[in-house]
Amino acid sequence: MPEFGYLDFSRSLNWVALGLNAFAILAALIGLATRDRRWVRCARNALIGNAFVLVASAGGLIAGFVNGAYEVEYIHDYSERALPLGYKIAGLWAGLDGSILFWAMLLSILSALVAFRFRKEEAHPVGARLEPHVYIVLAVIQVFFVCVVAFAVNPFETFAEARGEEFFRQHFPSGRVEDGAGLTPLLVNYWMQIHPPCMYTAWVTYTIPFAFGIAALLAGEHGLYWIRKVRRWMLAGWFLNTAGCVLGGLWAYEVLGWGGYWAWDPVENASIITWFPATAFLHSIMIQERRGMLKIWNAALISLTYFLTIFGTWLTRSGAVASFHSFANGTVGAWFAIFMAVIAAVVLFLLVYRRREFRAENRIKSIFSREAIFVLNNTILIAISAVIVIFTLYPLITYAFFRETMSVKIPVFNLACGALFVVLLALTAIGPGTGWVYTSGRNFLRNYAWAGVVSLPLAAIVHAIAMSVHQQGGEGEATIAEQIYPTAVIDYLGVFIVVSLALEVWRTARNRMARRNETIGAAIATIFVKNSRRYGGYVVHVGLALMAIGIVNSSMLSIERSVELEEGQSVAIGDYVLKMVEAESDKEFPVYERTTVQMNLMHDGATIANLVPERRLYRKKQQVVSEPEIHHRLLQDVYVFFQNTNQAGVFEFKFYRKPLIGLVWLGWLTMLAGGLWAAVPIGRRRVGLAE
Amino acid sequence: MRIWVPILLIAAGLATLIIFGVLHGSVPELQVRELLAEKPVGREIKLHGIIERIHSEVRPLRFTIRDKTDPAILCEVEVDDFRPDIFKVKTDVAVRGVYLPEQGLLRADWISTKCPSKYEASQELGGPTESGQ
């Protein structure tokens, strides 16, 4: 493979990375032992250099994808010449082997960023003390990932190396591999270029707070320094985790054609279990900052979040639990299992060892206090994560104890997580208006009585909108216990959160207006700018409330209909009519041929939209992929899925009406906006807009 | 009131949810060989296997699946649903339904073919050709 010699070079760079990380560990250890800062700077430079090395290594693999180095088995399996450039680049994370290299590369970049920023922390006694510990943790983790790339999942391996010269000669007698097998058709979608990198970056970002947490435990440093250093990293991880989970759901909703966005599949579960402890941490650090409490708990939460990223990786790569998603490579599962055991052992030891230094400075004095609400919120968040982990692992648990594999059905996931979410929403509703240390009943009522009253008619309106879609669908009466009560409760709690926060902002702005003679707009803008962290958090709560309303109504009150139509025929779904106009075949596309169906969506006799669902046949894999068409509106989506054409030439469709599903995506964007705002350090640098 | 009281209440609620959930909402997952050995009657199961032959691609779908480790062990399946996208011979499939031993048939109302997602190995690499097909 002489023209792809850079791939051999890229592969050898992994060994350089291994050497640099090993050197970083050694230098940091010597720096710790001798208190000689020069060694610590050596470790810092090694980590920065390591980023260049791993970026070059991954860059080489990407170049192989772009230039068509199909002699490399991994490149052959996940690409082909006809793919557009974006999908060729996405080949890096399209398969197991490349994704681990991608992970190592991301980690090296973030580690280098940490190392780079430590240059300014040398004068800070705590920063200088933590620095070598942080480097050791980061370098050890990188050694692990580089070793997995080098020994378990080498993405640079050629066919001849992986399967032997004889196999290569037998299948490629000319000695060349002219084209690749092509990316799996379901992945030939623009989400492929967004969702996986987002999720990987989230998980890798959680490594940084973990490194600081372990460094703090190793150094016995229980002050606020490390907590303040990691907050923004954790927020970045949380932001990307939130984005990644919902992008995955959006991808499933827009592509997979079952009208849903979440199926509690192990791969999906792996992506969300980290979100809960990360969210818990972002709340509980406030208690440590304000009241000097929950120090050991915060170190535990940060460790749990990182542990769950490795657990999720093990879950998705080991094939331990059956999934809709394909798995492979049992060997890599063993690597991650061992790594998990090491993390768990080290963290548990350190938590026990440092329990005295990390003891709380205060105690919770009343259950009617913000710190108590936060503790309960943390408990619920961890409980949700625990439920998901236990239910996901249930097949393994039952097999281990009873030699029978049992799996938990989706409604049970919904019921258990839904029940816990109701409590979480209730705590979210009352948390912001509850004061530190103690809140009297009178204050509590003053903060929430109006919100409670105003929310009732608003929630009734929201509920009526969703119910009207359901009833128009002719699905029969909604059942009180299974549909009406749960949706009504969540609608009320969601509206209550939005209204109570709006009133809180209004009260604060009104006080400011009275004191400073500002306009309402300037007062609101100022409080948002001056306390971006607090009000960014409130925006996140509003987003969560909107999402909760959207999720519960779109899933519990949706309408689904399977029908068969011929050209010219129509079907009514309540007050909407879908008419099939014509079908058309098109074979001009490079990697697939498609059949599209023209449909008219009509309401009150008038056409309100033309919908064109399609089915694609990917030539190389001989695989059919349907592309649903969705008529998006804030209050409801109409979703058309062209399922199949049967032998009699009749077209099979699935139609869905999803009330309030737009709130899921709107709430998600609101959460992201709030998270971004909370991360911005704007309030501590600038004065208010009106000043 | 001590903070431990609500925490314990949450823990108790959590335990109840988990126990209730797994007792009333779990379903056995069987391979084809296990199904034919156990022949569970009247009990909902989830069956995993590989599509061996397809008899009908229109609703209700009818096909034969084979055991993943012993290709000689076969079971007939009927699914009251439309054909999923990735529905072809040699595809990993999971179906959920009730086994009818007198007919030698699993009657299902749910089918899922494995999404050949990111972590799919080159399983079909028994024979790539120079053009990559």
Side-chain angles (χ1 to χ4, degrees), chain A residues 77-78 94 174 184 324 405 407, chain B residues 29 115-116 118-120 122 130:
Chain A
D77 286 356
Y78 293 96
S174 70
T184 300
F324 300 147
T405 307
S407 64
Chain B
E29 303 216 6
C115 159
K118 288 183 294 182
Y119 309 113
E120 178 189 46
S122 49
E130 288 182 58

Side-chain angles (χ1 to χ4, degrees), chain A residues 50-330:
Chain A
N50 173 58
F52 287 101
V53 169
L54 280 176
V55 168
S57 179
L61 192 63
I62 290 175
F65 271 104
V66 174
N67 295 328
Y70 300 116
E71 280 83 357
V72 175
E73 189 180 13
Y74 178 74
I75 294 176
H76 169 274
D77 286 356
Y78 293 96
S79 190
E80 64 179 307
R81 289 197 190 283
L83 276 180
L85 179 66
Y87 295 111
K88 285 183 178 170
I89 294 171
L92 177 62
W93 53 81
L96 172 71
D97 305 8
S99 71
I100 302 289
L101 177 62
F102 183 54
W103 187 311
M105 183 199 75
L106 289 173
L107 180 56
S108 73
I109 294 171
L110 297 188
S111 302
L113 268 176
V114 170
F116 194 74
R117 289 178 66 93
F118 256 124
R119 288 181 316 145
K120 295 176 183 170
E121 303 289 326
E122 280 198 333
H124 195 291
V126 181
R129 196 155 164 239
L130 283 183
E131 186 180 5
H133 295 93
V134 172
Y135 293 163
I136 290 168
V137 179
L138 288 174
V140 166
I141 294 171
Q142 286 187 86
V143 164
F144 168 74
F145 277 98
V146 173
C147 282
V148 174
V149 172
F151 300 114
V153 294
N154 191 344
F156 296 98
E157 224 168 24
T158 61
F159 271 115
E161 290 168 334
R163 292 167 183 267
E165 290 287 347
E166 195 181 329
F167 176 93
F168 185 70
R169 276 197 299 276
Q170 186 187 342
H171 289 94
F172 309 105
S174 70
R176 290 187 61 84
V177 187
E178 297 296 341
D179 203 357
L183 194 59
T184 300
L186 277 172
L187 303 184
V188 185
N189 185 286
Y190 61 95
W191 291 115
M192 178 60 193
Q193 293 161 70
I194 308 167
H195 163 68
C198 192
M199 219 42 245
Y200 283 123
T201 314
W203 280 12
V204 174
T205 306
Y206 287 142
T207 315
I208 308 301
F210 174 71
F212 272 90
I214 294 297
L217 286 169
L218 282 168
E221 179 49 58
H222 56 85
L224 289 177
Y225 175 87
W226 77 272
I227 281 283
R228 288 186 175 146
K229 284 286 159 206
V230 301
R231 181 187 158 265
R232 211 161 285 150
W233 283 107
M234 203 64 170
L235 204 50
W238 176 91
F239 179 89
L240 292 162
N241 201 164
T242 309
C245 285
V246 183
L247 282 172
L250 201 53
W251 183 357
Y253 182 63
E254 292 200 341
V255 175
L256 294 185
W258 54 283
Y261 40 82
W262 200 265
W264 297 111
D265 182 74
V267 172
E268 296 165 359
N269 297 347
S271 73
I272 205 168
I273 50 175
T274 50
W275 188 89
F276 296 103
T279 309
F281 178 80
L282 288 171
H283 286 86
S284 65
I285 52 169
M286 285 185 255
I287 307 181
Q288 185 169 346
E289 286 176 297
R290 292 291 288 259
R291 307 265 296 128
M293 298 158 64
L294 301 184
K295 292 177 184 178
I296 204 84
W297 175 246
N298 281 329
L301 275 181
I302 232 166
S303 306
L304 179 65
T305 307
Y306 183 69
F307 176 84
L308 288 176
T309 66
I310 301 300
F311 170 79
T313 313
W314 168 78
L315 195 67
T316 52
R317 268 77 163 183
S318 65
V321 180
S323 160
F324 300 147
H325 300 71
S326 287
F327 295 107
N329 204 326

